[in-house]
Amino acid sequence: MDKGQVHVITDFYSKALGSQRIFRVCLPPDYDNSQERYPVVYMHDGQWSFSEEGKRRWNADLTAWDLMVTGSIPPIILVGVDCNEADRRRELSHTTPPPFRRMGRRGYIPCHSFEGEGLGFSYEMYMADEVKSYIDSHYRTKPEKEHTLLAGSSMGGLVTLCMGMNRHETYGMLGLLSPAVHWLSDEFYNSMEHYGQKIWLDCGMAESYYVDNTRELYHILKGLGYEQGKDLHYLAEPEAVHTEQYFAQRFRMLLLWIFGKKTEPETVTILGSDTAALNGYATMINTVIIYENGIMQSDMEGSYRSDPPGILKVEPHGEVRAVSAGRAMVTYEKGNLKAAKEIRVVNALSRDVLLHILVEIPRDTPQGDPIVYHFFRDQYCVLEKKSDTLYEGELGVPRDWEFYGHFCRCIEDRDKKRECTADRKEVNRFVRTSKNQTLHYVVEAWQE
């Protein structure tokens, strides 16, 4: 069998969804020459998670193949289920999202999602009752829950969590990659229970409110009895954004954590703000451990000391509690690992900071188009015209958020008429909101 060879099932009719569907199957290298049975990984958004020449994808099939060939993980079967791109949000939502969604420290803000009820329960039936039944009857699988992993990113991570709670007798392992849990209601969180599953939870540090919300989800899971290092793993990946490139990196780590052999921690770094306050905003640090096999982990149960004492205290999950003004060296130790970071304590820090955005645009920019600053996923600021080539605006965001932004000439679609370099390369601008600041940019050209 060729490397990462994928069987595409194109004529599968789903009674639950009432439509023709597509899913993809990647078998392990020794499948044709063996009578063994294999664990199965079910993935949402198969057309984006499986490789496709010339396009940005997770390449989950190629990643799994390489890990199997090198012996890093045992043989597994991968199943990538294509999404309905035209109605993806609705299909991957079990209910209509609440009109006010939790955007981290921005609190509950109004958000429009889609018209009609969510189709998540129908999609759940399709995945659990139709696709899994087909795979178990046509391939040599280990069908038990302890051998069945369900994984997805963003909306795929959201539906994975919901299906994992609803179908806990089916899915014994859950991969939540940057899950869009801001779509969930408080009632769902309150209904969650510990079902003996293994849960991988992650996000990228440059995903603004996703960091806040996945940290909150970690604490909910911990409160239910999940334990770091045993059945729960959390990672806030440094400088990672909400794209296939970073989902792919973390999917490799997920497979190693679920199926691979345990290795020893190799390095550790303390990331995050170097300023804390006696009043106002609570600073968070992110202590990232890298293991010998490349797995990264944000230690949410760390042990810290502070010198001199009496200046600040760091909680195990990384929250810095200021005691008195001054400077202190925070030291983390775990086995042979050691890292340190100096933190200054000031009187007060506001929760939010103000970004003053100035942008110069090309003189040949078509008149009448809005100039919009889009940042992270669905957030934007329409700028005010000051002259033919100068626009400005102000944006209030939580302190210490990290995200990438860019300019475009369209309000509704962040990827339409977006800025590019003079040689037509995509532009993404990194921002860390550590203080009030003016961001002055120059747009070289526009994509049409």
Side-chain angles (χ1 to χ4, degrees):
M1 185 177 294
D2 295 334
K3 176 179 179 179
Q5 181 179 339
V6 175
H7 299 170
V8 183
I9 312 300
T10 60
D11 56 351
F12 189 87
Y13 181 79
S14 168
K15 293 180 181 179
L17 294 171
S19 60
Q20 209 80 11
R21 312 297 292 201
I22 298 172
F23 56 88
R24 304 153 195 264
V25 182
C26 179
L27 300 175
D30 63 346
Y31 187 88
D32 291 339
N33 300 314
S34 169
Q35 293 302 313
E36 295 293 321
R37 292 187 171 273
Y38 303 96
V40 184
V41 179
Y42 292 92
M43 303 180 65
H44 310 289
D45 301 323
Q47 71 268 50
W48 300 329
S49 54
F50 276 40
S51 58
E52 186 173 353
E53 188 174 354
K55 295 185 178 181
R56 294 181 181 179
R57 298 291 184 259
W58 289 32
N59 295 337
D61 47 331
L62 303 182
T63 295
W65 185 279
D66 286 339
L67 290 175
M68 289 186 281
V69 168
T70 59
S72 300
I73 64 172
I76 60 174
I77 296 173
L78 254 62
V79 179
V81 180
D82 286 23
C83 70
N84 177 2
E85 296 185 36
D87 209 12
R88 177 173 176 265
R89 287 185 170 186
R90 189 174 175 221
E91 189 166 280
L92 300 185
S93 299
H94 275 66
T95 59
T96 301
F100 291 85
R101 285 188 273 147
R102 180 69 178 271
M103 297 297 192
R105 280 173 280 131
R106 289 184 69 183
Y108 290 88
I109 64 174
C111 294
H112 175 74
S113 305
F114 51 75
E115 300 295 336
E117 292 293 324
L119 300 175
F121 283 104
S122 297
Y123 178 80
E124 176 182 311
M125 293 173 62
Y126 162 62
M127 286 285 290
D129 300 330
E130 298 178 346
V131 174
K132 188 175 188 302
S133 295
Y134 178 92
I135 295 297
D136 287 338
S137 63
H138 286 75
Y139 299 94
R140 298 193 310 275
T141 69
K142 293 182 177 179
E144 300 83 7
K145 65 173 287 184
E146 60 267 27
H147 302 297
T148 306
L149 167 64
L150 182 66
S153 67
S154 194
M155 294 298 298
L158 167 70
V159 79
T160 294
L161 177 60
C162 294
M163 289 174 61
M165 294 296 107
N166 296 340
R167 300 285 187 132
H168 53 86
E169 74 285 353
T170 301
Y171 304 107
M173 301 172 284
L174 305 178
L176 313 177
L177 292 87
S178 296
V181 292
H182 53 285
W183 288 58
L184 293 173
S185 65
D186 293 334
E187 287 73 20
F188 176 85
Y189 284 125
N190 296 338
S191 71
M192 290 175 60
E193 295 187 27
H194 190 304
Y195 292 114
Q197 297 151 310
K198 291 188 69 173
I199 300 179
W200 170 283
L201 172 64
D202 72 29
C203 70
M205 279 299 294
E207 293 188 47
S208 60
Y209 55 86
Y210 276 65
V211 182
D212 303 326
N213 288 341
T214 53
R215 275 181 170 270
E216 182 177 345
L217 178 56
Y218 175 91
H219 291 302
I220 292 172
L221 293 169
K222 181 186 174 186
L224 294 174
Y226 287 91
E227 297 181 34
Q228 174 180 277
K230 179 182 177 183
D231 52 10
L232 178 60
H233 188 100
Y234 177 67
L235 169 63
E237 185 183 4
E239 298 189 5
V241 295
H242 202 79
T243 64
E244 284 79 7
Q245 172 189 349
Y246 292 100
F247 299 152
Q249 291 178 9
R250 299 202 296 274
F251 181 69
R252 181 184 185 278
M253 300 183 210
L254 162 62
L255 292 181
L256 286 169
W257 182 71
I258 291 287
F259 298 109
K261 296 179 181 178
K262 291 186 179 296
T263 61
E264 294 299 315
E266 197 168 52
T267 62
V268 63
T269 307
I270 302 177
L271 305 173
S273 177
D274 56 6
T275 306
L278 294 167
N279 301 288
Y281 163 71
T283 296
M284 302 294 298
I285 59 174
N286 180 23
T287 300
V288 178
I289 300 172
I290 301 179
Y291 288 79
E292 292 172 338
N293 59 0
I295 292 177
M296 301 172 70
Q297 174 194 17
S298 293
D299 193 347
M300 299 288 280
E301 307 295 334
S303 177
Y304 301 88
R305 72 170 187 270
S306 176
D307 296 309
I311 303 294
L312 56 82
K313 178 183 178 182
V314 181
E315 299 295 330
H317 62 276
E319 181 176 342
V320 180
R321 297 189 182 276
V323 178
S324 62
R327 293 179 180 271
M329 186 64 69
V330 172
T331 302
Y332 167 95
E333 289 188 77
K334 185 174 185 178
N336 295 325
L337 298 181
K338 184 175 181 179
K341 181 180 183 67
E342 186 179 62
I343 297 179
R344 176 191 175 212
V345 174
V346 297
N347 179 58
L349 288 173
S350 62
R351 186 197 71 168
D352 299 322
V353 299
L354 186 65
L355 303 181
H356 180 211
I357 300 171
L358 287 170
V359 59
E360 299 176 49
I361 63 174
R363 289 193 174 276
D364 60 356
T365 300
Q367 295 296 309
D369 283 352
I371 304 300
V372 185
Y373 177 64
H374 282 269
F375 66 104
F376 193 50
R377 301 295 293 167
D378 48 4
Q379 302 176 84
Y380 63 87
C381 174
V382 180
L383 305 180
E384 180 182 351
K385 184 176 182 179
K386 307 306 291 184
S387 71
D388 287 343
T389 59
L390 182 65
Y391 283 73
E392 72 173 353
E394 289 186 334
L395 184 64
V397 294
R399 186 184 296 272
D400 292 334
W401 266 12
E402 296 178 13
F403 52 81
Y404 282 82
H406 66 268
F407 297 94
C408 72
R409 296 171 12 238
C410 183
I411 296 175
E412 296 82 9
D413 189 339
R414 65 180 181 269
D415 292 321
K416 187 177 181 180
K417 300 181 182 179
R418 64 177 292 164
E419 65 172 313
C420 60
T421 62
D423 56 355
R424 299 325 218 190
K425 293 181 179 179
E426 191 175 272
V427 173
N428 286 296
R429 306 177 185 277
F430 179 75
V431 177
R432 180 178 288 115
T433 62
S434 57
K435 60 183 179 181
N436 296 338
Q437 56 188 305
T438 296
L439 304 175
H440 192 162
Y441 298 118
V442 176
V443 172
E444 295 182 24
W446 300 106
Q447 294 176 348
E448 296 296 341

